[in-house]
Amino acid sequence: MSFKDILGHKKEIDVLRSAAKSGRVAHSFLFSGPPGIGKRLVAIEFAKALNCADGEDGDSCGVCHSCATIAGETHQNLTPVWPTIKEKEVLIKDPSGLIRIEQVRDVLNVLRYRVEEGRKVVIVDSAEKFMPAAANAFLKTLEEPPAGSVIILVSSRAADLLPTIISRCQRVNFRPLPEETVSAFLSERAKIPAEEARAIVRINGGNIANSIRYIDEGLNGTRKEMLSRLSSIKPDCPEDALKFAEELAKRDDLEDVLEFMKSWYRDRLLKLEGAENLIVNVDINGYIEQGSHPRRLLDNYSYVEEARRSIMPPRYGNKQLTMESLLLRLTA
């Protein structure tokens, strides 16, 4: 893989290719933008371009040993930094963790040694998760960067970074990919209808990484099944509501199911208000035909969100009772 194989982000990639081609590369970059749109993928490809001897026009060849080892994150010139959690004094990579002073010290040790060829590249993922001491230590590196090194901070919440860190980086702002681009990619990749792919993109807010996960984990089938079940329960059948509630309480993906329910009530309200262009579940619009009063739809949306919060940390409410109460309210 190389820059030319990346979906979208042409403007941002052109800036990086121009820098790699000319050799006038900033010592530090901040790749900012929404999560899951390919910022880190571009950072990896930039590292390839800076270290590939066989590439041309600011792009890598994508197949040489250098490119392969950077893709596998084993190249001696690449240092990835991830949020971690600490268990028994051992740092374990975890997206819910933090970037710690120990990790920054390791980076400093790596950057001390002169590069033999190419450039040393440090990619800091979720850079907004620096602990205060780690951020201050890293700031010193940005102020006096070692020769032959490039530091790339990747963040979906750049505003949470220290202003002094932001000011020392060349910022590259990544925008969400167009819905048509992502849905076409998903449709081709997963061999699914265009309308279904468009619904998946909308459900995941244009986040391509989440959209792929959504398909790979079978959540699309779950969404259709759950909304069909919900729409089939009649107001005069509390037994059906309680049976469905019992099934929901046993599901490992209950939070996802509740989000599907919220999107269904939202779509029905949009339908009533004439804003059909904003509907998310475009591939199952038939369920949305069911009429209801706007106030009722807003209340139902609120009931689902209330239930979701009840069963999630820090409340940890009883799932069975919460689902029973929710389904009886929704189908009353």
Side-chain angles (χ1 to χ4, degrees), residues 52-299:
C52 179
D54 299 325
E56 11 179 83
D57 199 28
D59 199 358
S60 68
C61 71
V63 295
C64 69
H65 177 72
S66 174
C67 289
T69 51
I70 289 178
E73 301 189 14
T74 58
H75 196 288
Q76 62 181 357
N77 281 359
L78 178 66
T79 304
V81 180
W82 302 84
T84 62
I85 58 174
K86 184 177 286 189
E87 291 186 3
K88 297 180 180 179
E89 300 306 311
V90 176
L91 297 183
I92 301 172
K93 174 182 168 182
D94 192 305
S96 66
L98 297 168
I99 299 172
R100 304 165 187 275
I101 185 66
E102 301 98 308
Q103 295 172 267
V104 174
R105 288 174 181 150
D106 288 342
V107 170
L108 298 181
N109 285 333
V110 168
L111 294 180
R112 282 172 45 207
Y113 298 100
R114 186 185 300 274
V115 62
E116 295 181 4
E117 59 180 352
R119 292 178 186 261
K120 287 186 179 293
V121 180
V122 177
I123 300 177
V124 183
D125 196 59
S126 300
E128 70 277 358
K129 293 188 175 183
F130 272 116
M131 295 182 72
N136 288 324
F138 207 79
L139 178 59
K140 295 179 181 178
T141 304
L142 294 177
E143 291 173 341
E144 301 176 4
S149 65
V150 177
I151 297 171
I152 305 173
L153 306 182
V154 180
S155 177
S156 58
R157 300 202 313 271
D160 292 349
L161 287 164
L162 291 176
T164 44
I165 286 181
I166 296 175
S167 67
R168 286 166 173 77
C169 298
Q170 177 176 327
R171 189 160 180 169
V172 181
N173 293 319
F174 288 76
R175 295 162 294 179
L177 294 170
E179 178 183 298
E180 297 77 14
T181 301
V182 182
S183 59
F185 168 78
L186 293 178
S187 182
E188 175 63 25
R189 179 184 185 274
K191 307 302 179 187
I192 57 177
E195 280 290 276
E196 190 171 313
R198 189 154 65 97
I200 293 170
V201 173
R202 290 189 174 189
I203 288 166
N204 289 283
N207 185 316
I208 190 168
N210 281 353
S211 296
I212 292 172
R213 177 191 69 85
Y214 187 93
I215 294 173
D216 291 346
E217 295 183 5
L219 288 173
N220 201 41
T222 299
R223 172 179 62 98
K224 292 180 177 181
E225 178 189 353
M226 293 298 102
L227 295 186
S228 177
R229 287 288 304 278
L230 179 62
S231 65
S232 68
I233 298 175
K234 306 301 181 183
D236 57 348
C237 294
E239 298 84 0
D240 290 345
L242 292 175
K243 181 180 179 181
F244 189 35
E246 182 180 3
E247 294 175 15
L248 289 178
K250 297 176 182 178
R251 297 188 67 96
D252 294 331
D253 58 354
L254 180 53
E255 186 179 7
D256 287 318
V257 173
L258 294 177
E259 291 294 342
F260 300 154
M261 290 183 179
K262 285 166 57 180
S263 72
W264 188 57
Y265 289 115
R266 170 189 175 275
D267 283 352
R268 289 173 64 188
L269 181 60
L270 290 171
K271 178 89 171 178
L272 286 178
E273 297 298 321
E276 296 183 37
N277 61 308
L278 299 177
I279 286 176
V280 167
N281 297 285
V282 291
D283 58 334
I284 49 176
N285 206 19
Y287 300 158
I288 301 168
E289 297 298 332
Q290 300 180 22
S292 189
H293 192 277
R295 182 71 260 172
R296 172 70 174 179
L297 294 173
L298 285 171
D299 286 343

